[in-house]
Amino acid sequence: MATALKGGSLILLITALIGLYAAGWPWSTDMVLQPSLAPFEGPRPPVEGTLPVEGDFALQRWQMEQLLKNPLPQSAAGIEKGRFLFSMYCSPCHGTQGRGDGPVVKVFVQPGDLRHPAVQAQSDAWMYGTIRNGENMMPRYGPELSVRERWQIVQYVKSFKVSP
């Protein structure tokens, strides 16, 4: 009888080990413990000395503030084109007037008011970098918008009257 219990226990132990192995233990935690970006964390910086194959250089917003200036002359046509692009890409969250009252805010966090003095005081390059790379909950629009279109949106946002 004692031998039968030992044999049954051995079979139970072997079955349990096979079950754990099949379930992926302890290897099932490998994906959790790997080095990776956290949600809403920016892209990793490129290796020094590398060049992009296509598209723009990978720059953070603070780098853009130091390196970029709006190349477009201020014009009514540029602002109008920026208004059109803003209505397509930005108004779902920021609203048509940039107040942060777009229809998406019913289910997401309300974005800031683009007419606020703190936003309007930012440089054109800061706004360009925000549009290109995104920020917090705001997605990046670098792939969707050309360089010229991003600057046109900046011109439109800068044309807002400052609200108190």
Side-chain angles (χ1 to χ4, degrees):
M1 178 93 174
T3 312
L5 284 176
K6 282 185 181 178
S9 298
L10 183 60
I11 290 174
L12 184 63
L13 178 64
I14 291 172
T15 305
L17 289 175
I18 289 172
L20 286 173
Y21 181 78
W25 182 84
W27 305 277
S28 62
T29 60
D30 288 351
M31 292 296 286
V32 174
L33 301 176
Q34 70 177 339
S36 60
L37 295 176
F40 307 114
E41 187 176 346
R44 293 181 182 166
V47 176
E48 188 175 335
T50 58
L51 298 173
V53 176
E54 343 178 308
D56 298 331
F57 284 95
L59 295 173
Q60 300 298 320
R61 187 170 57 188
W62 65 269
Q63 293 170 310
M64 290 183 206
E65 284 190 273
Q66 294 175 355
L67 300 172
L68 302 179
K69 295 204 182 318
N70 191 337
L72 304 179
Q74 192 76 6
S75 69
I79 291 173
E80 182 57 30
K81 178 67 175 181
R83 186 197 62 73
F84 173 74
L85 293 166
F86 185 91
S87 70
M88 287 176 46
Y89 292 98
C90 311
S91 67
C93 295
H94 290 285
T96 56
Q97 303 298 313
R99 292 189 173 104
D101 58 354
V104 173
V105 301
K106 294 173 186 161
V107 291
F108 288 115
V109 176
Q110 183 174 6
D113 184 351
L114 298 177
R115 297 169 180 267
H116 191 276
V119 175
Q120 288 293 317
Q122 297 294 339
S123 69
D124 286 7
W126 182 89
M127 288 187 184
Y128 177 89
T130 303
I131 293 167
R132 181 179 165 221
N133 294 345
E135 180 71 17
N136 298 324
M137 294 291 288
M138 180 180 157
R140 63 189 180 104
Y141 287 103
E144 287 82 14
L145 295 166
S146 70
V147 171
R148 180 178 190 80
E149 290 172 332
R150 289 178 230 148
W151 286 118
Q152 288 169 329
I153 292 173
V154 169
Q155 284 186 341
Y156 176 66
V157 171
K158 283 293 204 169
S159 74
F160 290 161
K161 300 283 187 247
V162 174
S163 66

